[in-house]
Amino acid sequence: MEIQQRNDTRRGAFEAIEDGQEAGKMTYTWAGDSKFIIDHTEVSEEFNGKGVGKKLLMATVDYARNNNLKIIPLCPFAKSVFDKNEDIRDVLFS
C-alpha cells in the first residue's frame, strides 16, 4: 500500500492507494503556518478492518514530525487513535 500526499496553501490529504485503487483518505486544513486540523478520515468499504486509517494517521504524524508541525485532531477517528497511543502525542497541538 502506498500513501500519497496532496497539499496546497489551505488544504491537503493523505491517500492510501493499493493496486491503483483508493483504499482511504485523511483530509486536513491548515490552521496557520505551524499546525493543521485533521478533519476527516474515510476508508473504502472493501478495505475496512485492514488498518488503512491507522496507516494514514501514522503518515500524517510522520509528516508533522519531519516538518516541526502540530496536529489538531477534530476527526473522531484520528482523535481516538491519539487518545489510545501516547507515543504519537508529541505532535498534538496543546
Side-chain angles (χ1 to χ4, degrees):
M1 184 170 300
E2 180 187 356
I3 307 291
Q4 299 174 349
Q5 183 183 15
R6 287 185 300 101
N7 189 30
D8 65 33
T9 56
R10 294 181 3 150
R11 302 185 61 75
F14 286 86
E15 298 169 343
I17 309 294
E18 187 161 292
D19 298 328
Q21 183 179 5
E22 184 178 290
K25 178 190 289 188
M26 181 172 281
T27 61
Y28 60 88
T29 303
W30 286 100
D33 293 335
S34 62
K35 60 187 176 291
F36 59 94
I37 299 163
I38 297 175
D39 45 36
H40 184 69
T41 304
E42 173 179 321
V43 174
S44 298
E45 199 173 307
E46 57 269 29
F47 291 95
N48 282 346
K50 296 186 177 176
V52 174
K54 186 137 188 213
K55 287 177 185 163
L56 288 165
L57 183 64
M58 294 315 294
T60 307
V61 167
D62 288 344
Y63 172 71
R65 284 178 175 153
N66 292 336
N67 293 280
N68 202 25
L69 301 169
K70 294 295 182 182
I71 297 173
I72 303 166
L74 292 187
C75 161
F77 170 77
K79 183 172 179 352
S80 74
V81 177
F82 274 105
D83 288 347
K84 293 175 194 163
N85 295 282
E86 241 179 87
D87 57 328
I88 60 173
R89 292 186 197 154
D90 58 298
V91 295
L92 278 179
F93 178 74
S94 51

